Amino acid sequence: MSTVMEMSTTRAEIRSVLVKHWRSLDKARLHTIHLWLLLYAAAQIFIEYYFSEVYAVLMLEAEDRPQSKENHERVSFSFLLFV
């Protein structure tokens, strides 16, 4: 009779440990998916900005003008408005 009781407690202990392990793996998978989604969203925003007209206009303005202190501040300020 004691063998049956020992086996049931051992099974319960094993089951509780496995459940904790499975839950921690599920949380890790969820965090990994969220991390990849965040990186994907940031990459999409960067790609959209890089290929947009705003980036091209800013770069053309920066190339056409002489690099004076006023021009540098003006280009930097206009860059901050579109970010």
Side-chain angles (χ1 to χ4, degrees), residues 19-37:
V19 166
K20 287 179 187 176
H21 180 68
W22 291 330
R23 285 184 181 160
S24 64
L25 284 177
D26 286 342
K27 286 181 184 178
R29 286 186 195 115
L30 186 64
H31 291 308
T32 304
I33 289 171
H34 285 151
L35 176 66
W36 280 114
L37 286 174

Side-chain angles (χ1 to χ4, degrees), residues 1-14:
M1 189 77 160
S2 65
T3 321
V4 173
M5 289 295 283
E6 286 177 16
M7 287 185 76
S8 66
T9 51
T10 305
R11 283 185 180 179
E13 290 171 355
I14 291 172

Side-chain angles (χ1 to χ4, degrees), residues 2 17-19 23-24 36-38 44 47 52 60 63-64 66 70 73 76-77 80:
S2 65
V17 169
L18 286 175
V19 166
R23 285 184 181 160
S24 64
W36 280 114
L37 286 174
L38 180 67
Q44 290 297 315
I47 289 170
S52 70
L60 288 175
E63 290 175 2
D64 293 341
E70 290 180 16
E73 289 173 358
S76 297
F77 180 70
L80 292 174

Side-chain angles (χ1 to χ4, degrees), residues 54-68 71-76 78-79:
V54 173
Y55 182 77
V57 167
L58 286 177
M59 290 299 110
L60 288 175
E61 285 181 4
E63 290 175 2
D64 293 341
R65 294 182 186 165
Q67 287 296 322
S68 66
N71 184 37
H72 181 68
E73 289 173 358
R74 183 175 175 198
V75 170
S76 297
S78 63
F79 173 73

